[in-house]
């Protein structure tokens, strides 16, 4: 989970996004390989986290998104995640690292940082209530539809994957239901 997770920030800092997301993952894999050279019993289970953003905009006729859906990344963050997915596959196949790739869809829940839709909307509402902002909420496209998953369910899915996931597999973590951003607001 140690990644740069903001698509908007990835446009401002694409190199840093790739250094953290792709090269950081490569360093972890190489470190595990180096330890295995000294101790052949060392074989940790690894979860690499992707993102629904890897799929990019998906036409309605191609829904629902599945693990077999085509990637269409349209920002540096999503491209770094797709590259990390292929790196994970290569290290599973070539070096038998025990890697599972989990792609959570839009997460919501306690502790979500600013920069995501729900905390940003909530922050604006608080500022309006405190008379620190005009009574106008700034939003993006409210017609866009998203699949939201509670972060606590995602944490349980990570745990389940560690216990019973199949090495080399890709798992989408989603609810299977979409909501317009207007409904969420």
């Amino acid at each position: 989970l140690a990644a740069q997770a903001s698509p908007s920030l990835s446009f401002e800092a694409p190199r840093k996004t790739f250094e953290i997301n792709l090269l950081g993952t490569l360093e972890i894999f190489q470190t595990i390989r180096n330890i295995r050279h000294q101790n052949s019993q060392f074989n940790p289970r690894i979860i690499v986290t992707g993102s629904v953003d890897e799929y990019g905009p998906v036409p309605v006729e191609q829904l629902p998104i599945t693990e077999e859906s085509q990637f269409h990344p349209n920002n540096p963050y999503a491209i770094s995640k797709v590259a990390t997915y292929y790196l994970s596959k290569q290290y599973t196949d070539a070096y038998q690292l025990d890697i599972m790739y989990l792609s959570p869809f839009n997460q919501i829940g306690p502790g979500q940082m600013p920069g995501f839709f729900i905390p940003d909307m909530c922050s604006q509402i608080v500022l309006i209530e405190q008379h620190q902002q005009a009574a106008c909420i700034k939003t993006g496209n409210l017609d866009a539809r998203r699949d939201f998953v509670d972060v606590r369910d995602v944490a349980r899915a990570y745990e389940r994957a560690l216990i019973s996931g199949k090495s080399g597999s890709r798992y989408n973590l989603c609810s299977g239901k979409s909501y317009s951003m207007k409904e969420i607001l």
Side-chain angles (χ1 to χ4, degrees):
L1 296 175
Q4 190 296 95
S6 169
S8 60
L9 181 60
S10 76
F11 283 106
E12 296 171 27
R15 176 182 293 273
K16 189 162 193 82
T17 298
F18 276 85
E19 287 172 355
I20 293 169
N21 294 356
L22 181 60
L23 297 180
T25 302
L26 176 64
E27 287 297 322
I28 291 169
F29 293 170
Q30 282 299 110
T31 299
I32 291 169
R33 285 191 64 218
N34 291 339
I35 293 170
R36 280 175 70 183
H37 283 299
Q38 300 166 12
N39 177 0
S40 61
Q41 304 292 20
F42 185 73
N43 192 29
R45 298 212 85 189
I46 305 162
I47 291 177
V48 175
T49 304
S51 168
V52 66
D53 222 28
E54 294 166 296
Y55 297 108
V58 179
V60 174
E61 61 274 4
Q62 293 178 14
L63 293 174
I65 295 172
T66 70
E67 288 82 354
E68 289 78 32
S69 295
Q70 293 285 319
F71 296 130
H72 296 286
N74 64 352
N75 59 64
Y77 164 72
I79 294 167
S80 77
K81 289 303 199 172
V82 169
T84 301
Y85 168 69
Y86 284 113
L87 180 71
S88 300
K89 282 185 61 64
Q90 192 265 325
Y91 270 73
T92 299
D93 296 343
Y95 306 114
Q96 292 72 53
L97 293 190
D98 188 6
I99 302 169
M100 288 156 289
Y101 195 88
L102 280 61
S103 289
F105 284 32
N106 300 280
Q107 297 176 63
I108 57 173
Q112 190 170 35
M113 297 171 25
F116 294 93
F117 184 76
I118 293 172
D120 287 355
M121 297 304 107
C122 292
S123 295
Q124 288 186 66
I125 291 167
V126 168
L127 290 172
I128 291 167
E129 288 178 344
Q130 295 174 345
H131 305 290
Q132 295 178 16
Q133 175 178 317
C136 179
I137 297 175
K138 297 173 184 139
T139 68
N141 178 4
L142 293 178
D143 293 326
R145 299 189 68 82
R146 302 283 184 264
D147 182 314
F148 288 93
V149 185
D150 190 289
V151 69
R152 293 162 288 202
D153 292 332
V154 172
R156 283 189 285 277
Y158 290 159
E159 181 180 36
R160 181 164 293 185
L162 286 171
I163 294 167
S164 58
K166 183 179 176 224
S167 184
S169 294
R170 178 184 178 89
Y171 300 100
N172 286 343
L173 308 179
C174 51
S175 71
K177 300 175 190 158
S178 72
Y179 300 91
S180 72
M181 301 309 273
K182 184 176 183 177
E183 290 175 281
I184 297 298
L185 181 60

